[in-house]
Amino acid sequence: EQQVEKYSTRPYGARVDTENLAKTLNSWVYDYDLQFDVIMIGALTENQLIYPLLTKLPIDKLCSKPGFLFIWASTKKISELSTLLNDSRTWAKRLRRSEELVFIPVDKNSVYYPKEWSIPEEQILEEVQWHCWMCITGTVRRSTDKDIIHCNVNTDLSMENSSTGNSAVPAQIYKVVENFSSSTRRLHIIPTSTGLKQHVKVRPGWVIVSPDIILDNFEPERYKKDIEAIGSKIPYNDEIEQLRPKTPV
């Protein structure tokens, strides 16, 4: 946590309406030559996985190689997510699905409980968890790329707890991403409004794009200077490497 905090940019927010999202991201790519090593798409609200909109975003140009994409969907939208990532006509052809994270709301009163989910009468169990598929561009190996990734530092399953709050994406989700990748260039795209009950917070080390973000302070050239000052990767630390869990030989 100290390493992540030390090598983080200031919190950046970019308030962008849904209809202007593709235009804005294309400007970042072609006008400012911006790239990110870690991109997360979506939040824990039902209206985030919008197939036609996402196919228009220049994710393949924004994501470096190697790079990581984390994209969220409710259980109900898994088929839509599968269609998106299997469509060879879109940016998804550059991304290889690697891992899956799961977030489970505590009960029906939770702000994270999928409101559009209807349970058939004959069904006993409710499938109300959120899924996050992690995809990779390029080739990353656990055994040799220790300067890029830190494996086995978090569980793939997160459950809502008393400290989760009501952010559109709980802080514990951001921590999983930060602990996994040592890259400092992190982008979070929240395509549509999350509503009043789930606010969008800025976070050090992240550029968060959302129609609802309160802080609207992102300037591409200023951001590039921040990255130059701290470096694009959290420096390798031998003590951390010795302490973290390893995959058995």
Side-chain angles (χ1 to χ4, degrees):
E1 288 180 350
Q2 291 173 356
Q3 284 283 85
V4 169
E5 183 180 355
K6 184 178 180 181
Y7 296 95
S8 288
T9 62
R10 72 193 78 193
Y12 278 105
R15 192 181 309 128
V16 180
D17 292 334
T18 302
E19 57 269 24
N20 295 324
L21 184 57
K23 178 181 177 182
T24 298
L25 296 183
N26 274 298
S27 174
W28 291 3
V29 169
Y30 296 107
D31 296 335
Y32 297 99
D33 195 27
L34 272 185
Q35 277 199 321
F36 297 85
D37 304 301
V38 173
I39 298 177
M40 183 155 63
I41 298 178
L44 305 192
T45 56
E46 283 281 4
N47 61 341
Q48 297 301 311
L49 192 63
I50 304 174
Y51 183 84
L53 170 65
L54 295 184
T55 58
K56 296 176 183 177
L57 303 184
I59 302 300
D60 56 330
K61 307 291 192 308
L62 276 171
C63 192
S64 65
K65 185 178 181 179
F68 306 95
L69 172 69
F70 296 79
I71 183 165
W72 284 94
S74 64
T75 300
K76 184 178 179 181
K77 296 290 184 72
I78 279 291
S79 60
E80 190 176 335
L81 177 57
S82 300
T83 302
L84 174 66
L85 294 180
N86 289 330
D87 191 340
S88 60
R89 298 168 297 174
T90 71
W91 44 261
K93 63 185 178 183
R94 277 196 60 197
L95 296 154
R96 174 174 53 85
R97 178 185 168 187
S98 177
E99 304 282 350
E100 182 174 6
L101 310 177
V102 174
F103 180 88
I104 300 178
V106 64
D107 58 33
K108 290 185 178 181
N109 297 318
S110 168
V111 294
Y112 303 113
Y113 188 88
K115 302 299 185 292
E116 296 179 10
W117 186 261
S118 58
I119 309 300
E121 292 184 4
E122 67 276 8
Q123 186 169 322
I124 298 175
L125 301 178
E126 300 182 35
E127 299 175 358
V128 295
Q129 65 267 29
W130 295 89
H131 302 262
C132 179
W133 285 4
M134 190 271 282
C135 305
I136 298 177
T137 64
T139 301
V140 179
R141 302 185 190 282
R142 295 176 185 232
S143 57
T144 58
D145 295 318
K146 293 184 240 182
D147 61 322
I148 299 176
I149 56 174
H150 290 282
C151 302
N152 303 327
V153 292
N154 285 93
T155 178
D156 295 336
L157 172 65
S158 294
M159 300 190 71
E160 182 182 0
N161 55 52
S162 58
S163 64
T164 300
N166 62 341
S167 172
V169 174
Q172 65 203 80
I173 299 302
Y174 284 115
K175 285 184 178 181
V176 170
V177 178
E178 292 165 356
N179 290 343
F180 173 77
S181 171
S182 59
S183 300
T184 59
R185 300 186 301 176
R186 309 183 194 102
L187 171 68
H188 185 189
I189 301 169
I190 301 178
T192 64
S193 176
T194 57
L196 296 176
K197 290 185 178 180
Q198 288 181 276
H199 52 267
V200 180
K201 292 182 179 180
V202 291
R203 184 176 178 85
W206 289 81
V207 177
I208 300 181
V209 183
S210 162
D212 301 327
I213 195 79
I214 296 175
L215 183 64
D216 185 22
N217 68 335
F218 183 73
E219 298 173 8
E221 295 297 345
R222 183 188 185 194
Y223 176 72
K224 287 162 80 171
K225 289 179 180 178
D226 275 5
I227 292 295
E228 287 177 8
I230 64 171
S232 61
K233 290 187 178 64
I234 298 172
Y236 178 86
N237 183 291
D238 190 59
E239 183 180 4
I240 293 176
E241 182 62 26
Q242 289 181 30
L243 290 171
R244 75 172 183 86
K246 305 288 195 308
T247 302
V249 177

